[in-house]
């Protein structure tokens, strides 16, 4: 049985992660895990048309909210790690965001969202926190890959996961554009189920 995806990507840095973050990613081929939490989603109102378009292609969560109930299911297989994020909002609406992470190289993975679109990410451990940093977007059709600069969309993404206890962690996802500043953000606290 091969190592879990994040352990492959981080290599020796895996051991620097707190147990709470390791638990989040320690699922092997055929295994599943679930996280439950509350998330805040925010972005400037004038960017709604662009976020709607990205959501239409399978990316991001569409609705803003100060506190939405979130369930995140992960399933590992030989090809990578499938994510299913479901949010239920206080007003009764719900939203989903699915993606698949795959190994690219040590400290690098790709997250595919749909219709061939995706994001390359550099993954590091810094002071016990797990960081993902954008290396650019792409569109892929078969073996043909077209790079898309971050500035052409919402900007560069940074994701930080910070352990709060053995069974809980905090997630902070932010996209920052060189012209607009913070263009999209979601954050929240998660526990294992």
């Amino acid at each position: 049985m091969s190592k879990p995806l994040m352990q492959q990507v981080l290599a020796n840095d895996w051991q620097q992660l707190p147990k709470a973050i390791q638990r989040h990613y320690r699922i092997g081929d055929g295994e599943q895990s679930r996280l439950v939490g509350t998330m805040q989603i925010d972005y400037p109102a004038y960017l709604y048309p662009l976020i709607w378009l990205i959501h239409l292609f399978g990316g991001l969560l569409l609705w803003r909210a100060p506190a939405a109930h979130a369930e995140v299911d992960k399933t590992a297989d030989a090809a990578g790690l499938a994510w299913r994020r479901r949010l239920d909002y206080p007003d009764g609406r719900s939203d989903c965001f699915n993606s698949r992470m795959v190994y690219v190289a040590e400290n690098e993975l790709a997250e595919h969202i749909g219709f061939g679109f995706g994001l390359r990410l550099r993954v590091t451990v810094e002071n016990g926190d797990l960081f993902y940093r954008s290396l650019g977007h792409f569109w892929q059709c078969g073996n043909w890959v077209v790079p898309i600069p971050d500035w052409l969309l919402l900007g560069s993404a940074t994701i930080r996961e910070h352990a709060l206890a053995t069974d809980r962690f905090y997630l902070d996802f932010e996209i920052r554009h060189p012209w607009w500043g913070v263009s999209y953000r979601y954050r929240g606290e998660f526990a294992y189920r």
Side-chain angles (χ1 to χ4, degrees):
M1 183 169 142
S2 64
K3 293 179 183 176
L5 173 67
M6 193 58 68
Q7 195 170 352
Q8 293 176 49
V9 170
L10 290 174
N12 293 333
D13 291 343
W14 170 259
Q15 297 305 323
Q16 296 176 33
L17 284 177
K19 298 296 183 206
I21 305 296
Q22 283 186 1
R23 182 177 173 191
H24 179 29
Y25 291 101
R26 190 185 286 126
I27 59 173
D29 192 7
E31 295 180 330
Q32 297 179 332
S33 73
R34 172 171 279 188
L35 299 167
V36 176
T38 301
M39 285 179 49
Q40 172 191 1
I41 303 100
D42 198 23
Y43 55 83
Y46 66 86
L47 289 175
Y48 176 81
L50 180 56
I51 290 165
W52 176 84
L53 183 63
I54 292 168
H55 184 70
L56 184 67
F57 282 92
L60 302 179
L61 295 158
L62 182 59
W63 307 112
R64 297 186 297 176
H69 174 77
E71 292 183 2
V72 180
D73 293 312
K74 298 187 305 298
T75 305
D77 58 31
L81 190 60
W83 296 71
R84 183 179 184 280
R85 304 159 186 92
R86 178 184 164 89
L87 269 74
D88 293 311
Y89 294 84
D91 65 3
R93 289 184 292 185
S94 63
D95 199 1
C96 277
F97 168 35
N98 301 323
S99 66
R100 171 174 283 282
M101 289 182 173
V102 297
Y103 180 89
V104 173
E106 190 171 309
N107 294 106
E108 187 178 336
L109 54 76
E111 185 169 15
H112 298 263
I113 59 167
F115 297 99
F117 289 98
L119 175 65
R120 289 179 42 239
L121 294 159
R122 177 155 178 74
V123 186
T124 58
V125 179
E126 299 170 26
N127 299 317
D129 290 347
L130 181 64
F131 278 88
Y132 295 82
R133 290 188 176 88
S134 175
L135 294 172
H137 292 76
F138 62 86
W139 180 72
Q140 182 173 358
C141 184
N143 291 329
W144 190 49
V145 179
V146 177
I148 303 169
D150 285 340
W151 62 265
L152 196 57
L153 296 170
L154 290 174
S156 295
T158 302
I159 305 162
R160 180 177 73 100
E161 295 182 6
H162 174 77
L164 298 172
T166 57
D167 64 342
R168 290 183 299 117
F169 69 94
Y170 180 78
L171 170 99
D172 190 356
F173 171 84
E174 177 181 282
I175 303 176
R176 184 175 291 275
H177 195 276
W179 304 328
W180 309 324
V182 176
S183 57
Y184 188 89
R185 167 175 252 171
Y186 65 69
R187 57 176 70 172
E189 189 174 314
F190 291 89
Y192 300 98
R193 292 287 181 255

